[in-house]
Amino acid sequence: MTISEHSPSEPVPTREQAIRAAAAALVDAVAERNSRTPREAAEAAWYPGHRLGSVEAIEAEIIRRREADECLTEDPS
C-alpha cells in the first residue's frame, strides 16, 4: 500500500513496523517453500523457457542446493 492509497483513518506504519512485517512475510515464504518436496517446488518453479529446461532438471537443482545447505548447517563436532 502506498501512502496515496492509505486511508486517513488508519495510522501510517512506522519504518520499524514495515521492516518487521516484511521480515515476517519472508519467514513465512521460506517456511512454505521448505515444506514442499523437491518435485512440488520444481513444478511450481517451471515455466516455458525456464533456463534449466525441464521440471526434472529444476528438481535436480533443488535437491543439489538443499543438500549443499544441509552440509553448511551440519555441526562439525
Side-chain angles (χ1 to χ4, degrees):
M1 174 186 304
T2 65
I3 292 187
S4 63
E5 298 171 340
H6 189 267
S7 169
S9 63
E10 298 176 24
V12 176
T14 65
R15 182 176 187 276
E16 183 177 330
Q17 289 170 325
I19 290 170
R20 287 182 188 277
L26 180 59
V27 167
D28 289 346
V30 169
E32 181 180 340
R33 182 190 69 196
N34 290 341
S35 71
R36 293 179 174 176
T37 66
R39 182 66 180 200
E40 291 168 335
E43 289 172 350
W46 183 86
Y47 56 89
H50 190 286
R51 67 178 183 83
L52 294 178
S54 69
V55 172
E56 291 75 17
I58 298 168
E59 181 181 17
E61 178 64 14
I62 290 168
I63 292 168
R64 185 194 67 74
R65 288 183 183 189
R66 287 184 181 180
E67 288 173 352
D69 287 347
E70 286 177 15
C71 289
L72 292 174
T73 59
E74 287 180 358
D75 185 9
S77 55

